[in-house]
Amino acid sequence: MLDFEKMGGLLPAIVQDAESGEVLMVAFQNHEAFERTRETGRMHYYSRSRDKLWMKGESSGHVQEVREILVDCDADAVVFKIHQVGGAACHTGFRSCFYRRLEPTGELTRTESEQVFDPAQVYAQ
Amino acid sequence: MLDFEKMGGLLPAIVQDAESGEVLMVAFQNHEAFERTRETGRMHYYSRSRDKLWMKGESSGHVQEVREILVDCDADAVVFKIHQVGGAACHTGFRSCFYRRLEPTGELTRTESEQVFDPAQVYAQ
């Protein structure tokens, strides 16, 4: 049903806060990560750098609970509307990975996305 | 400033309606497409199937005017908040390319995303 072939077995997964609509992160899924996500209701991804399946929150406890899955016209990208346990999707502790705005000057400034936790504390546990 | 290397020169570009927050489409940009987008304020993409730069709306007139650019923590994905001229981002005439919901049964159903135009009329002109 999904076309994993265009990117050599991967699809971009866009993760959006089910309530606010904020885009929280983008990662990649292979077929297994997609199926595990559907089966468990928790976001799973494929890490290209580590060449392995991982579940978001497996070390921090900050899992992502799936509320809705949307498929695009070409069936080669998926939007997941989720509830983020712990309030932050980014490993830096920000609510969204997209916490920086590119200004017309080329400068990166901070958006309104809050820093919810201190990564040194969460990942040290 | 952006990391185009992880995907062989490409980044996923997530396009979000600046007002409603709806995710409208996902496409890819190479460095040139990204720079042309910044220079012109209109979304440009790189087509993997046609191996060329294209501007959204170049045949339909339905251009995408950039309102805000957000960069993620790894600088390997970009969110563009835009205004969609003509009201529909999808070549099928739907407001969003993500007009189908994957139900727990595996069935695809229609979301609330409206069909704004008839593609046969727009692309025949």
Side-chain angles (χ1 to χ4, degrees):
Chain A
M1 190 260 304
L2 293 176
D3 182 358
F4 285 93
E5 293 317 306
K6 278 191 203 160
M7 278 187 61
L10 298 178
L11 288 185
I14 294 86
V15 178
Q16 197 177 18
D17 186 287
E19 276 169 36
S20 70
E22 186 177 18
V23 176
L24 300 178
M25 60 182 279
V26 174
F28 290 90
Q29 290 187 318
N30 60 4
H31 188 260
E32 187 185 0
F34 179 75
E35 289 303 326
R36 289 285 294 158
T37 298
R38 285 194 64 199
E39 286 160 23
T40 63
R42 292 179 166 193
M43 291 302 302
H44 287 68
Y45 303 100
Y46 174 77
S47 166
R48 294 171 291 169
S49 56
R50 292 179 289 150
D51 183 26
K52 73 187 274 271
L53 188 77
W54 62 288
M55 184 183 79
K56 174 71 183 173
E58 63 191 8
S59 53
S60 64
H62 296 173
V63 299
Q64 296 174 327
E65 297 168 352
V66 178
R67 295 283 188 262
E68 196 176 2
I69 305 178
L70 304 178
V71 176
D72 81 341
C73 49
D74 296 327
D76 61 4
V78 185
V79 166
F80 294 89
K81 297 194 181 185
I82 63 116
H83 169 70
Q84 175 65 62
V85 171
C90 190
H91 70 287
T92 59
F94 282 93
R95 197 172 65 221
S96 165
C97 291
F98 295 92
Y99 60 88
R100 298 178 298 174
R101 181 186 294 112
L102 181 62
E103 304 290 349
T105 57
E107 201 187 358
L108 286 171
T109 58
R110 284 268 297 277
T111 67
E112 299 70 31
S113 195
E114 298 159 74
Q115 189 160 23
V116 176
F117 66 77
D118 174 359
Q121 296 211 330
V122 168
Y123 292 101
Q125 283 163 6
Chain B
M1 188 260 304
L2 293 177
D3 181 358
F4 285 93
E5 293 317 305
K6 276 189 203 163
M7 277 188 59
L10 299 179
L11 287 185
I14 294 86
V15 178
Q16 198 178 16
D17 186 286
E19 276 168 36
S20 70
E22 187 177 17
V23 176
L24 300 178
M25 59 183 278
V26 174
F28 290 90
Q29 290 187 319
N30 60 4
H31 188 261
E32 187 186 0
F34 179 75
E35 288 304 326
R36 287 286 295 158
T37 298
R38 285 194 64 200
E39 285 159 23
T40 63
R42 292 177 166 193
M43 291 302 300
H44 288 68
Y45 303 100
Y46 174 77
S47 167
R48 294 171 291 169
S49 55
R50 292 179 289 151
D51 184 26
K52 73 187 274 271
L53 189 77
W54 62 288
M55 183 182 81
K56 174 73 182 171
E58 63 192 6
S59 52
S60 65
H62 296 172
V63 298
Q64 296 175 327
E65 297 168 352
V66 178
R67 295 282 188 265
E68 197 175 2
I69 304 177
L70 304 178
V71 176
D72 82 339
C73 49
D74 295 328
D76 62 4
V78 185
V79 166
F80 293 89
K81 298 195 180 185
I82 63 117
H83 169 69
Q84 176 65 62
V85 172
C90 190
H91 70 287
T92 59
F94 282 93
R95 198 171 66 219
S96 165
C97 291
F98 295 92
Y99 60 89
R100 298 178 298 173
R101 180 186 295 112
L102 180 63
E103 304 290 350
T105 58
E107 200 188 357
L108 287 172
T109 58
R110 284 268 299 277
T111 66
E112 299 71 33
S113 194
E114 299 159 73
Q115 190 160 22
V116 176
F117 67 76
D118 174 1
Q121 295 212 330
V122 167
Y123 291 101
Q125 283 164 6

